[in-house]
Amino acid sequence: MIPVQGYTGARVAVLGLGRSGLTSCAALAAGGAEPLAWDESPDARSQAENQGITLHDLGRIDWSGVAALITSPGIPHLYPAPNRIIAAAMAAGVPVDNDIGLFFRSFATAETMEFDQPPKVVAITGSNGKSTTTALVHHILQQAGRPCQMAGNIGKGVLSIDPPQNGEVVVLELSSYQTELARSLTPDIAVFTNLSADHLDRHGGMGGYFAAKRRLFAEGGPDRAIIGVDETEGQFLAGQIGQNPEDMRVIRMSSGRKLTGPGWNVFARKGFLAEYRQGKQVVSVDLRAVKGLPGAHNHQNACAAYAVARSLGIAPRLIEDALHSFSGLPHRSQLVAEADGVRYINDSKATNAESAAQALQAFDHIRWIAGGLGKDGGITSLAPHLGHVTKAYLIGHSAREFALQLGDTAHEVCETMERAVARAMADAQSGDVVLLAPAAASFDQFKDFECRGQAFIDAVNARLLRESATDDK
C-alpha cells in the first residue's frame, strides 16, 4: 500500500466505497489521516462496515473541519450535474480530489529518492486501446526483467500497489474520469493513444472530454510524451508539448501512415512497425505474425508500448520477442475458440462505434454480434466498415435501432446473446469469423462488458461441446 502523504492528523472525506474508495480509506489511515467514509448505496455501506470502516453521513457533516473530499471516478462532479455531496463540498471551499491525485502526491518519498534508480510512473490514457497498451507495456517490462507493477483502471487500485523498489516502473491505465479530477498528475512518461467521442455527457461535450485527457500532459509535464497523431487533437497536443519539430521529448505515433518528421516517430503501416529518429529508420518489426495483436488498432497499441519501452531503454529485439509472447487481454480481440475453420473472437470491450470499427477492420468474412445499450449516433458511423460483414446478429435494447442503421447489410434481430451465438454458429462456414463487437454499453442485459464477454464465451463453448458430443455418437 502507498500511505497518503500530506494529511496527517486531518479529517478527509471519502465518497464512494467501491475499489478506489475503500483503498483510499485504508491509504489515508496509513498516512495518519482520519477518513470520513460514505456511499449513497446501502449495500456498499454495509460491505464497508463489514470491513471495519466507520461511516459518516457526508450529506449531514460540517464541512468546515474537512481538509479534502476524495471521490470515486464514476461520481459526477461537474457535468451533467454535480453529485449533491460534491456540490456541498465545493460550495464550502473544500478541495475535491481522487485516488489518482493522492497517489501522485504520495508516490515519491525520501526513501525512493535515495535509490540508485528512482522508480518511474508510466500513465496511459486515450479513448481506445488503453488497457491493451497498459498490459502490453507491463508484459514487455516483465520479459525484460524489469521490476514493475500495473494498476489504475486495470489491475489493482493505484494506492494498493506495493511500495516501489529500486528501478521499478509502475504502469497506470487512466480514464478521463480519473485524469479530469486528479489534483496531482506527475508521470515520468505519459501516453495518449487516440481520441473518439465517448462519455460526452460526463464531460460536457467533445472539448471537455479532450481537456480531461490533456490534463495528464498539461498538468504533469512528463519527461516523455508519446502521442497518437491520427486525430487532430493528438496533432494539436504534440505541437503544444514540443518546443520544435525536433524535440525528442515527444514521440509521435500513428497506425496506418508513415511519419516523416525530423523528431522521434513510431508508426505501423501495412503490418510493419517502424521507428524513425531524425528522419532515419532505426528499427522495423513485422507485426503480421503477432497473434495477440491482430488488426490496425492493435498495431497502434504495439506502437505505443514499443515507444514506452524504448523510452525506458529496452532494446528493440527484446521488445519484439515480448510482442510475440503477448497473449492479449480478455474481451479485447480475444480468440475464444477455433473449430471447423471458424474463429470465435470476443471483443466485448468494443463499447462504442469507434472501437467496433477497429474490430471490423481487423477480420474478413465476419458474422457480427452487436447491440446493447446504444450510444449517441448508434452505429451510423460504421457504414464504411461493413464491407467485411457477411451478416449481423443484433442483441439488447438497441437491436432494432441498429437494424435500421445497417442499410443493405444482412442482419437478424436475435435479442439475446444465446440466440445470436446459436444463429451465427449455424450460419458460419469455414473461413468465417464470429465476432462479438457490440458497439454499445452492456448495462441493459449485463453487469458490465466482462459479464457480456463471458456470456459469449459460455454460449460458444456450450454449443461446441454439444456439437462434439453429437459427433461422437
Side-chain angles (χ1 to χ4, degrees):
M1 176 168 290
I2 305 294
V4 173
Q5 300 181 42
Y7 288 117
T8 302
R11 302 171 77 224
V12 179
V14 178
L15 176 62
L17 299 177
R19 183 186 70 172
S20 68
L22 292 173
T23 305
S24 294
C25 287
L28 283 162
E34 178 190 355
L36 310 178
W38 187 250
D39 194 297
E40 298 195 281
S41 163
D43 289 341
R45 294 200 297 268
S46 177
Q47 292 175 15
E49 284 187 308
N50 290 338
Q51 296 184 35
I53 292 176
T54 302
L55 299 175
H56 300 262
D57 187 346
L58 298 183
R60 300 181 178 182
I61 67 167
D62 178 6
W63 289 100
S64 63
V66 177
L69 169 63
I70 309 304
T71 181
S72 293
I75 302 175
H77 63 275
L78 190 57
Y79 303 115
N83 171 276
R84 65 182 183 90
I85 291 173
I86 296 177
M90 291 192 298
V94 174
V96 181
D97 204 349
N98 60 16
D99 63 327
I100 305 301
L102 295 182
F103 168 82
F104 277 111
R105 70 181 286 160
S106 307
F107 179 72
T109 64
E111 181 181 9
T112 60
M113 291 299 99
E114 293 178 359
F115 289 160
D116 293 334
Q117 299 181 56
K120 294 182 179 294
V121 177
V122 176
I124 297 163
T125 195
S127 295
N128 299 304
K130 297 186 300 295
S131 297
T132 297
T133 300
T134 303
L136 183 54
V137 170
H138 185 251
H139 175 75
I140 293 169
L141 290 168
Q142 287 181 316
Q143 296 302 299
R146 296 283 293 271
C148 55
Q149 298 185 71
M150 180 172 66
N153 213 36
I154 185 174
K156 296 180 177 181
V158 291
L159 292 170
S160 63
I161 67 170
D162 296 328
Q165 306 174 35
N166 182 42
E168 188 164 37
V169 180
V170 176
V171 189
L172 303 181
E173 177 193 344
L174 299 182
S175 71
S176 59
Y177 289 9
Q178 294 169 312
T179 59
E180 174 184 44
L181 188 58
R183 288 169 56 83
S184 179
L185 286 168
T186 54
D188 297 279
I189 299 172
V191 179
F192 177 87
T193 59
N194 50 57
L195 194 77
S196 60
D198 206 2
H199 310 304
L200 299 190
D201 58 337
R202 169 65 182 261
H203 298 294
M206 197 69 178
Y209 179 46
F210 174 54
K213 301 286 189 184
R214 181 180 174 276
R215 287 192 75 245
L216 183 62
F217 303 84
E219 301 291 331
D223 295 331
R224 170 96 5 93
I226 298 164
I227 311 292
V229 293
D230 288 333
E231 294 89 29
T232 303
E233 291 87 352
Q235 297 167 18
F236 172 80
L237 182 58
Q240 280 208 315
I241 295 170
Q243 294 297 317
N244 52 60
E246 296 84 13
D247 193 338
M248 302 290 275
R249 294 175 302 170
V250 179
I251 302 178
R252 290 170 171 81
M253 65 171 184
S254 172
S255 176
R257 64 190 182 97
K258 182 177 180 179
L259 300 178
T260 57
W264 192 347
N265 301 302
V266 177
F267 61 88
R269 187 166 177 264
K270 297 182 179 179
F272 286 85
L273 181 154
E275 177 187 359
Y276 274 66
R277 297 196 196 190
Q278 297 177 330
K280 296 180 181 180
Q281 182 169 324
V282 178
V283 174
S284 178
V285 177
D286 188 350
L287 298 175
R288 295 172 299 177
V290 179
K291 293 183 178 180
L293 296 166
H297 62 305
N298 275 312
H299 291 176
Q300 183 186 59
N301 299 334
C303 287
Y306 176 93
V308 171
R310 291 290 279 146
S311 298
L312 292 169
I314 299 176
R317 180 56 61 86
L318 284 175
I319 301 172
E320 183 175 359
D321 290 344
L323 293 177
H324 281 278
S325 62
F326 182 66
S327 59
L329 285 176
H331 315 297
R332 299 161 177 86
S333 297
Q334 175 190 11
L335 178 62
V336 172
E338 187 167 359
D340 299 325
V342 179
R343 286 181 292 164
Y344 299 90
I345 305 294
N346 166 27
D347 202 3
S348 182
K349 186 62 169 67
T351 57
N352 56 41
E354 178 68 21
S355 53
Q358 303 291 347
L360 293 176
Q361 294 174 74
F363 305 100
D364 296 318
H365 310 296
I366 298 170
R367 297 193 177 274
W368 178 32
I369 299 176
L373 193 60
K375 298 185 177 181
D376 288 348
I379 56 172
T380 54
S381 64
L382 295 180
H385 309 296
L386 298 178
H388 294 174
V389 176
T390 303
K391 184 177 178 180
Y393 305 81
L394 304 174
I395 65 173
H397 178 269
S398 298
R400 286 171 172 76
E401 176 190 346
F402 281 15
L404 294 173
Q405 297 172 352
L406 281 171
D408 295 333
T409 301
H411 59 271
E412 180 177 343
V413 175
C414 298
E415 302 287 358
T416 67
M417 181 69 74
E418 291 77 9
R419 178 168 174 76
V421 169
R423 295 295 301 138
M425 293 181 74
D427 292 344
Q429 302 176 12
S430 180
D432 285 352
V433 171
V434 176
L435 170 68
L436 171 65
S442 58
F443 306 124
D444 56 332
Q445 293 181 316
F446 302 96
K447 176 184 176 182
D448 48 37
F449 74 86
E450 289 99 338
C451 290
R452 177 171 60 190
Q454 191 60 51
F456 173 75
I457 294 170
D458 293 344
V460 169
N461 288 335
R463 285 194 66 83
L464 289 176
L465 185 61
R466 285 198 297 271
E467 291 174 4
S468 177
T470 300
D471 291 342
D472 290 340
K473 291 182 179 178

Short mmCIF file of all heavy atoms in Angstrom, two decimals, residues 131 153-154 173 329-332 334 346-351 417 436 438 440-443 446-457:
data_model
loop_
_atom_site.label_atom_id
_atom_site.label_comp_id
_atom_site.label_asym_id
_atom_site.label_seq_id
_atom_site.Cartn_x
_atom_site.Cartn_y
_atom_site.Cartn_z
N SER A 131 -6.23 -0.21 -22.15
CA SER A 131 -5.99 -1.43 -21.36
C SER A 131 -4.96 -2.33 -22.02
O SER A 131 -4.05 -2.85 -21.36
CB SER A 131 -7.31 -2.19 -21.16
OG SER A 131 -8.23 -1.43 -20.42
N ASN A 153 -6.94 1.87 -13.90
CA ASN A 153 -8.21 1.40 -14.43
C ASN A 153 -8.16 -0.07 -14.79
O ASN A 153 -9.12 -0.63 -15.29
CB ASN A 153 -8.59 2.23 -15.67
CG ASN A 153 -10.08 2.41 -15.81
OD1 ASN A 153 -10.80 2.55 -14.83
ND2 ASN A 153 -10.55 2.40 -17.04
N ILE A 154 -7.01 -0.69 -14.59
CA ILE A 154 -6.79 -2.11 -14.86
C ILE A 154 -5.96 -2.66 -13.70
O ILE A 154 -5.10 -1.97 -13.16
CB ILE A 154 -6.06 -2.32 -16.20
CG1 ILE A 154 -5.94 -3.80 -16.55
CG2 ILE A 154 -4.71 -1.65 -16.20
CD1 ILE A 154 -5.35 -4.03 -17.94
N GLU A 173 -3.12 2.62 -16.19
CA GLU A 173 -4.15 2.99 -17.15
C GLU A 173 -5.05 4.02 -16.49
O GLU A 173 -5.59 3.77 -15.40
CB GLU A 173 -4.99 1.79 -17.58
CG GLU A 173 -6.12 2.17 -18.52
CD GLU A 173 -7.15 1.08 -18.73
OE1 GLU A 173 -6.88 -0.08 -18.40
OE2 GLU A 173 -8.26 1.42 -19.20
N LEU A 329 -5.58 -9.47 -23.98
CA LEU A 329 -6.41 -9.33 -22.79
C LEU A 329 -7.78 -9.97 -23.01
O LEU A 329 -8.28 -9.97 -24.14
CB LEU A 329 -6.62 -7.86 -22.44
CG LEU A 329 -5.44 -7.12 -21.81
CD1 LEU A 329 -5.80 -5.66 -21.63
CD2 LEU A 329 -5.07 -7.74 -20.48
N PRO A 330 -8.39 -10.49 -21.97
CA PRO A 330 -9.77 -10.98 -22.12
C PRO A 330 -10.70 -9.87 -22.61
O PRO A 330 -10.55 -8.71 -22.22
CB PRO A 330 -10.13 -11.41 -20.69
CG PRO A 330 -8.83 -11.65 -20.00
CD PRO A 330 -7.88 -10.66 -20.61
N HIS A 331 -11.60 -10.23 -23.51
CA HIS A 331 -12.66 -9.35 -24.00
C HIS A 331 -12.14 -8.27 -24.94
O HIS A 331 -12.86 -7.33 -25.26
CB HIS A 331 -13.43 -8.70 -22.84
CG HIS A 331 -13.80 -9.65 -21.76
ND1 HIS A 331 -14.65 -10.72 -21.98
CD2 HIS A 331 -13.43 -9.73 -20.46
CE1 HIS A 331 -14.79 -11.39 -20.84
NE2 HIS A 331 -14.05 -10.81 -19.91
N ARG A 332 -10.90 -8.41 -25.42
CA ARG A 332 -10.33 -7.45 -26.36
C ARG A 332 -9.68 -8.24 -27.49
O ARG A 332 -8.54 -8.68 -27.37
CB ARG A 332 -9.31 -6.54 -25.67
CG ARG A 332 -9.93 -5.69 -24.54
CD ARG A 332 -8.85 -5.18 -23.62
NE ARG A 332 -9.39 -4.33 -22.57
CZ ARG A 332 -9.87 -4.76 -21.40
NH1 ARG A 332 -9.93 -6.06 -21.15
NH2 ARG A 332 -10.32 -3.92 -20.50
N GLN A 334 -10.13 -11.20 -28.27
CA GLN A 334 -9.73 -12.45 -27.63
C GLN A 334 -10.19 -13.64 -28.46
O GLN A 334 -11.39 -13.80 -28.73
CB GLN A 334 -10.33 -12.53 -26.23
CG GLN A 334 -10.08 -13.84 -25.50
CD GLN A 334 -10.90 -13.95 -24.23
OE1 GLN A 334 -11.80 -13.15 -23.98
NE2 GLN A 334 -10.60 -14.95 -23.42
N ASN A 346 -13.92 -12.64 -29.13
CA ASN A 346 -14.65 -11.87 -28.12
C ASN A 346 -14.00 -10.50 -27.97
O ASN A 346 -12.92 -10.36 -27.42
CB ASN A 346 -14.61 -12.63 -26.78
CG ASN A 346 -15.03 -11.76 -25.60
OD1 ASN A 346 -15.79 -10.82 -25.75
ND2 ASN A 346 -14.51 -12.09 -24.42
N ASP A 347 -14.68 -9.47 -28.49
CA ASP A 347 -14.23 -8.09 -28.31
C ASP A 347 -15.33 -7.30 -27.61
O ASP A 347 -15.73 -6.22 -28.05
CB ASP A 347 -13.90 -7.47 -29.67
CG ASP A 347 -12.95 -6.27 -29.56
OD1 ASP A 347 -12.52 -5.98 -28.43
OD2 ASP A 347 -12.67 -5.63 -30.57
N SER A 348 -15.78 -7.84 -26.47
CA SER A 348 -16.87 -7.20 -25.71
C SER A 348 -16.50 -5.81 -25.25
O SER A 348 -17.39 -4.99 -25.00
CB SER A 348 -17.25 -8.08 -24.51
OG SER A 348 -18.33 -7.52 -23.79
N LYS A 349 -15.20 -5.52 -25.13
CA LYS A 349 -14.75 -4.19 -24.70
C LYS A 349 -15.03 -3.12 -25.75
O LYS A 349 -14.92 -1.92 -25.47
CB LYS A 349 -13.26 -4.24 -24.37
CG LYS A 349 -12.69 -2.96 -23.78
CD LYS A 349 -13.33 -2.62 -22.44
CE LYS A 349 -12.58 -1.51 -21.72
NZ LYS A 349 -12.68 -0.22 -22.42
N ALA A 350 -15.41 -3.53 -26.97
CA ALA A 350 -15.75 -2.57 -28.02
C ALA A 350 -17.11 -1.97 -27.70
O ALA A 350 -18.14 -2.33 -28.27
CB ALA A 350 -15.76 -3.25 -29.38
N THR A 351 -17.12 -1.03 -26.76
CA THR A 351 -18.38 -0.50 -26.23
C THR A 351 -18.85 0.75 -26.96
O THR A 351 -19.88 1.32 -26.60
CB THR A 351 -18.23 -0.17 -24.74
OG1 THR A 351 -17.16 0.76 -24.57
CG2 THR A 351 -17.94 -1.42 -23.93
N MET A 417 -27.97 -12.93 -26.23
CA MET A 417 -26.66 -13.44 -26.62
C MET A 417 -26.75 -14.89 -27.05
O MET A 417 -26.13 -15.30 -28.06
CB MET A 417 -25.68 -13.29 -25.46
CG MET A 417 -24.27 -13.76 -25.76
SD MET A 417 -23.43 -12.71 -26.96
CE MET A 417 -23.08 -11.30 -25.92
N LEU A 436 -17.92 -10.91 -31.61
CA LEU A 436 -18.68 -10.06 -30.69
C LEU A 436 -17.95 -8.74 -30.58
O LEU A 436 -16.85 -8.66 -30.02
CB LEU A 436 -18.80 -10.71 -29.32
CG LEU A 436 -19.40 -9.81 -28.22
CD1 LEU A 436 -20.85 -9.47 -28.52
CD2 LEU A 436 -19.27 -10.45 -26.84
N PRO A 438 -19.79 -5.24 -29.73
CA PRO A 438 -21.16 -4.74 -29.57
C PRO A 438 -21.42 -3.31 -30.02
O PRO A 438 -22.56 -2.97 -30.35
CB PRO A 438 -21.39 -4.87 -28.06
CG PRO A 438 -20.41 -5.91 -27.61
CD PRO A 438 -19.20 -5.69 -28.46
N ALA A 440 -21.76 -0.87 -28.21
CA ALA A 440 -22.78 -0.39 -27.26
C ALA A 440 -22.36 -0.77 -25.85
O ALA A 440 -21.58 -1.71 -25.65
CB ALA A 440 -24.14 -0.99 -27.60
N ALA A 441 -22.91 -0.06 -24.89
CA ALA A 441 -22.72 -0.43 -23.49
C ALA A 441 -23.46 -1.71 -23.18
O ALA A 441 -24.34 -2.15 -23.92
CB ALA A 441 -23.18 0.70 -22.59
N SER A 442 -23.13 -2.31 -22.05
CA SER A 442 -23.66 -3.63 -21.71
C SER A 442 -24.79 -3.60 -20.69
O SER A 442 -25.42 -4.63 -20.41
CB SER A 442 -22.53 -4.49 -21.13
OG SER A 442 -21.97 -3.86 -19.98
N PHE A 443 -25.08 -2.42 -20.13
CA PHE A 443 -25.86 -2.37 -18.90
C PHE A 443 -27.34 -2.72 -19.06
O PHE A 443 -28.06 -2.82 -18.07
CB PHE A 443 -25.72 -1.00 -18.25
CG PHE A 443 -24.29 -0.59 -18.03
CD1 PHE A 443 -23.80 0.59 -18.55
CD2 PHE A 443 -23.42 -1.41 -17.32
CE1 PHE A 443 -22.48 0.96 -18.37
CE2 PHE A 443 -22.10 -1.05 -17.13
CZ PHE A 443 -21.63 0.13 -17.66
N PHE A 446 -26.42 -6.89 -18.97
CA PHE A 446 -25.30 -7.45 -18.21
C PHE A 446 -24.77 -6.42 -17.22
O PHE A 446 -24.94 -5.22 -17.39
CB PHE A 446 -24.17 -7.87 -19.16
CG PHE A 446 -24.60 -8.87 -20.20
CD1 PHE A 446 -24.97 -8.45 -21.47
CD2 PHE A 446 -24.64 -10.22 -19.90
CE1 PHE A 446 -25.36 -9.36 -22.44
CE2 PHE A 446 -25.03 -11.14 -20.85
CZ PHE A 446 -25.40 -10.72 -22.13
N LYS A 447 -24.08 -6.92 -16.20
CA LYS A 447 -23.50 -6.05 -15.18
C LYS A 447 -22.42 -5.16 -15.77
O LYS A 447 -22.30 -3.98 -15.42
CB LYS A 447 -22.92 -6.91 -14.05
CG LYS A 447 -22.20 -6.12 -12.97
CD LYS A 447 -21.58 -7.06 -11.94
CE LYS A 447 -20.77 -6.28 -10.90
NZ LYS A 447 -20.12 -7.19 -9.92
N ASP A 448 -21.62 -5.71 -16.68
CA ASP A 448 -20.53 -4.97 -17.30
C ASP A 448 -20.08 -5.70 -18.56
O ASP A 448 -20.62 -6.76 -18.90
CB ASP A 448 -19.34 -4.80 -16.34
CG ASP A 448 -18.94 -6.10 -15.65
OD1 ASP A 448 -18.99 -7.16 -16.32
OD2 ASP A 448 -18.56 -6.07 -14.48
N PHE A 449 -19.11 -5.12 -19.26
CA PHE A 449 -18.68 -5.74 -20.52
C PHE A 449 -18.01 -7.09 -20.29
O PHE A 449 -18.03 -7.96 -21.15
CB PHE A 449 -17.75 -4.80 -21.30
CG PHE A 449 -16.35 -4.66 -20.75
CD1 PHE A 449 -15.36 -5.55 -21.11
CD2 PHE A 449 -16.02 -3.62 -19.90
CE1 PHE A 449 -14.07 -5.44 -20.61
CE2 PHE A 449 -14.74 -3.49 -19.41
CZ PHE A 449 -13.76 -4.40 -19.76
N GLU A 450 -17.38 -7.29 -19.10
CA GLU A 450 -16.78 -8.58 -18.80
C GLU A 450 -17.83 -9.68 -18.73
O GLU A 450 -17.64 -10.78 -19.27
CB GLU A 450 -16.00 -8.52 -17.48
CG GLU A 450 -14.73 -7.71 -17.55
CD GLU A 450 -14.90 -6.31 -17.01
OE1 GLU A 450 -16.05 -5.82 -16.98
OE2 GLU A 450 -13.88 -5.69 -16.64
N CYS A 451 -18.95 -9.38 -18.07
CA CYS A 451 -20.03 -10.36 -17.98
C CYS A 451 -20.61 -10.66 -19.37
O CYS A 451 -20.94 -11.81 -19.68
CB CYS A 451 -21.13 -9.87 -17.05
SG CYS A 451 -20.66 -9.82 -15.30
N ARG A 452 -20.72 -9.62 -20.20
CA ARG A 452 -21.22 -9.83 -21.56
C ARG A 452 -20.26 -10.72 -22.35
O ARG A 452 -20.67 -11.66 -23.04
CB ARG A 452 -21.39 -8.49 -22.26
CG ARG A 452 -21.84 -8.61 -23.71
CD ARG A 452 -22.20 -7.25 -24.28
NE ARG A 452 -21.08 -6.30 -24.25
CZ ARG A 452 -21.20 -5.00 -24.50
NH1 ARG A 452 -22.39 -4.48 -24.80
NH2 ARG A 452 -20.16 -4.21 -24.47
N GLY A 453 -18.97 -10.43 -22.24
CA GLY A 453 -17.99 -11.26 -22.94
C GLY A 453 -18.01 -12.69 -22.46
O GLY A 453 -17.88 -13.64 -23.25
N GLN A 454 -18.16 -12.87 -21.15
CA GLN A 454 -18.21 -14.23 -20.61
C GLN A 454 -19.44 -14.97 -21.09
O GLN A 454 -19.39 -16.19 -21.33
CB GLN A 454 -18.17 -14.20 -19.08
CG GLN A 454 -17.95 -15.56 -18.44
CD GLN A 454 -16.65 -16.21 -18.88
OE1 GLN A 454 -15.59 -15.58 -18.81
NE2 GLN A 454 -16.73 -17.45 -19.33
N ALA A 455 -20.56 -14.26 -21.24
CA ALA A 455 -21.77 -14.89 -21.78
C ALA A 455 -21.54 -15.38 -23.20
O ALA A 455 -22.01 -16.46 -23.59
CB ALA A 455 -22.94 -13.90 -21.74
N PHE A 456 -20.80 -14.60 -23.99
CA PHE A 456 -20.45 -15.04 -25.35
C PHE A 456 -19.56 -16.28 -25.30
O PHE A 456 -19.81 -17.26 -26.02
CB PHE A 456 -19.73 -13.89 -26.06
CG PHE A 456 -19.16 -14.24 -27.41
CD1 PHE A 456 -19.98 -14.37 -28.52
CD2 PHE A 456 -17.79 -14.43 -27.56
CE1 PHE A 456 -19.45 -14.69 -29.76
CE2 PHE A 456 -17.24 -14.75 -28.80
CZ PHE A 456 -18.08 -14.88 -29.90
N ILE A 457 -18.53 -16.25 -24.46
CA ILE A 457 -17.63 -17.39 -24.33
C ILE A 457 -18.40 -18.64 -23.92
O ILE A 457 -18.22 -19.73 -24.49
CB ILE A 457 -16.52 -17.08 -23.31
CG1 ILE A 457 -15.62 -15.96 -23.82
CG2 ILE A 457 -15.70 -18.32 -23.00
CD1 ILE A 457 -14.65 -15.43 -22.78
#
